[in-house]
Amino acid sequence: MEAYFYEKLENYCVRCNLCCHRCVIKDAHRGICGVRENRAGILTSLVYGRLVARNVDPIEKKPFYHFMPASLSYSIATVGCNFSCLYCQNFEISKMPKDQDGRIAGAFFSPESVVQDALRTGCKSIAYTYTEPTVFFEFAFDTARLARAANLKNVFVTNGYMTPESLEAISPYLDAANVDLKAFNNRFYKKICGARLSPVKKNLILMKKKLHVEITTLLIQGMNDDPSELSEMAKFIVEEMGPETPWHISRFRPMYRLNNVPETQFESLLKAREVGLKAGLKYVYTGNVPGESGGNTFCYNCGKLLIERWGFIIKKNLLQNSRCKFCKTFIDGVDMNN
């Protein structure tokens, strides 16, 4: 189908305005994402409805810890991504067009069928996830509008690189976003991800004004774990997003083209968590560590355990009307007693 957010240029070229790369694409060529193609001056989405993944997941898997805990989310993805992260955990599908000579896989589903399946499986939200939802924006947009009408929530798991205009368009139908804040220096973004840091920072601030936001940082030793950089990142979250913004710090494992870097030590996650708490963040979590309790939610006022998690499973939730059972402090989030 014809893509949204582009402008026609001379000689059948187009400029895509969906993400902050704003690719200028020649006729018969594709943008950086690999899934938007210029066909004689018409920018075309190659992945509309072509889902390569459909799963019913706990919302905690995204991860969201302060958005409808213990609920199920119908999770969908197409191939493609507008980043080129060397450590991508879902590279088989996100990098497919680039690594497999432009291949576009996926079975066709309509927005109506996705919404119906989400309702049938008892999900309370639809998650646009696994790859980058921005690159299948048209399908996400159409699905999100139908989902909203069916009383389902919509959540993005995203790198946060969409343009302000595309964010403005989807935000009336979007309820939450977990944004990968991959590092806090432009060198890392350019060398490791093929992008820039500043648009992500700007979009985080815009998103916070419109919807529930949680942030995830995959910690890679020697690359984005410098204490001073983490301190600057935490300071940015506190001052620009608010101290109530949850920050998930996850362990890196060798993956894709960054398989010569060692697994992040657990102690590094704990140190990063302390940096976040010292900066004033109320909720800092450590993740991707089996059997570890870094996903538990504690009252930031009295320190008592309120939500106990084992992986993606909630073992107990002691919140009462979104307040600490013990000191009555309000715990930030959406439907925390879900």
Side-chain angles (χ1 to χ4, degrees):
M1 69 167 292
E2 184 173 2
Y4 300 166
F5 303 107
Y6 78 97
E7 56 186 298
K8 296 184 178 184
L9 305 176
E10 295 180 349
N11 301 317
Y12 293 103
C13 290
V14 300
R15 177 181 288 109
C16 179
N17 292 315
L18 179 65
C19 89
C20 289
H21 289 303
R22 297 190 187 270
C23 296
V24 173
I25 309 171
K26 295 180 181 179
D27 185 20
H29 287 71
R30 299 182 187 181
I32 286 173
C33 63
V35 299
R36 299 168 79 77
E37 184 173 281
N38 180 357
R39 296 179 174 176
I42 303 296
L43 187 61
T44 302
S45 170
L46 304 178
V47 292
Y48 187 93
R50 298 192 64 175
L51 300 184
V52 74
R54 293 182 305 128
N55 294 294
V56 175
D57 290 331
I59 194 71
E60 285 78 13
K61 188 177 181 180
K62 301 301 104 187
F64 284 104
Y65 284 179
H66 288 253
F67 184 85
M68 304 176 71
S71 67
L72 296 176
S73 188
Y74 194 82
S75 304
I76 62 172
T78 72
V79 300
C81 186
N82 56 348
F83 274 26
S84 55
C85 300
L86 299 180
Y87 55 86
C88 182
Q89 299 177 71
N90 290 318
F91 68 91
E92 295 95 339
I93 53 177
S94 68
K95 308 300 183 189
M96 182 181 290
K98 298 178 184 178
D99 291 351
Q100 298 186 33
D101 296 322
R103 182 185 175 208
I104 305 292
F108 181 78
F109 292 87
S110 67
E112 290 82 2
S113 67
V114 170
V115 171
Q116 290 168 7
D117 219 21
L119 293 170
R120 180 185 61 80
T121 52
C123 294
K124 293 192 174 182
S125 63
I126 296 177
Y128 309 84
T129 180
Y130 304 136
T131 59
E132 173 51 46
T134 302
V135 306
F136 59 95
F137 182 93
E138 292 81 6
F139 187 74
F141 182 81
D142 289 350
T143 304
R145 287 195 300 176
L146 292 177
R148 174 61 60 84
N151 203 31
L152 291 167
K153 303 295 186 183
N154 294 292
V155 304
F156 265 25
V157 181
T158 175
N159 57 33
Y161 215 63
M162 64 282 290
T163 57
E165 51 263 44
S166 61
L167 176 57
E168 183 69 26
I170 192 71
S171 60
Y173 308 103
L174 198 60
D175 298 284
N178 187 301
V179 181
D180 285 328
L181 185 53
K182 297 176 183 292
F184 214 64
N185 72 81
N186 201 53
R187 183 185 68 257
F188 182 98
Y189 263 86
K190 184 177 180 180
K191 181 179 179 181
I192 305 300
C193 305
R196 295 176 292 124
L197 171 61
S198 59
V200 180
K201 292 168 62 177
K202 291 177 182 177
N203 278 338
L204 279 167
I205 296 170
L206 286 174
M207 287 182 189
K208 183 67 178 186
K209 296 175 181 178
K210 299 175 180 292
L211 48 122
H212 174 81
V213 178
E214 303 195 21
I215 295 173
T216 296
T217 302
L218 187 70
L219 204 66
I220 308 174
Q221 287 183 194
M223 301 187 73
N224 66 351
D225 65 338
D226 181 85
S228 61
E229 181 179 324
L230 291 173
S231 180
E232 285 299 309
M233 184 185 293
K235 180 181 178 182
F236 165 80
I237 299 172
V238 170
E239 295 181 353
E240 301 293 344
M241 309 287 295
E244 74 283 357
T245 306
W247 187 23
H248 303 263
I249 304 166
S250 297
R251 170 187 259 178
F252 164 82
R253 291 193 174 90
M255 187 67 67
Y256 192 43
R257 294 177 179 171
L258 208 62
N259 53 19
N260 59 339
V261 177
E263 179 177 272
T264 302
Q265 296 179 1
F266 180 51
E267 291 74 16
S268 297
L269 300 184
L270 295 180
K271 289 178 181 178
R273 181 175 186 272
E274 287 302 314
V275 168
L277 294 174
K278 184 177 180 181
L281 287 170
K282 297 178 180 179
Y283 317 105
V284 187
Y285 300 98
T286 56
N288 206 17
V289 185
E292 190 268 321
S293 61
N296 291 338
T297 297
F298 296 88
C299 176
Y300 64 89
N301 183 51
C302 71
K304 294 290 182 64
L305 175 64
L306 297 178
I307 302 179
E308 182 180 358
R309 296 180 176 89
W310 181 263
F312 305 132
I313 299 172
I314 290 184
K315 298 181 70 175
K316 61 182 175 183
N317 185 340
L318 300 179
L319 288 173
Q320 298 177 341
N321 296 320
S322 295
R323 293 186 178 276
C324 174
K325 176 182 177 180
F326 306 98
C327 71
K328 310 306 178 186
T329 296
F330 178 76
I331 303 302
D332 304 272
V334 176
D335 292 345
M336 293 296 287
N337 294 102
N338 180 61

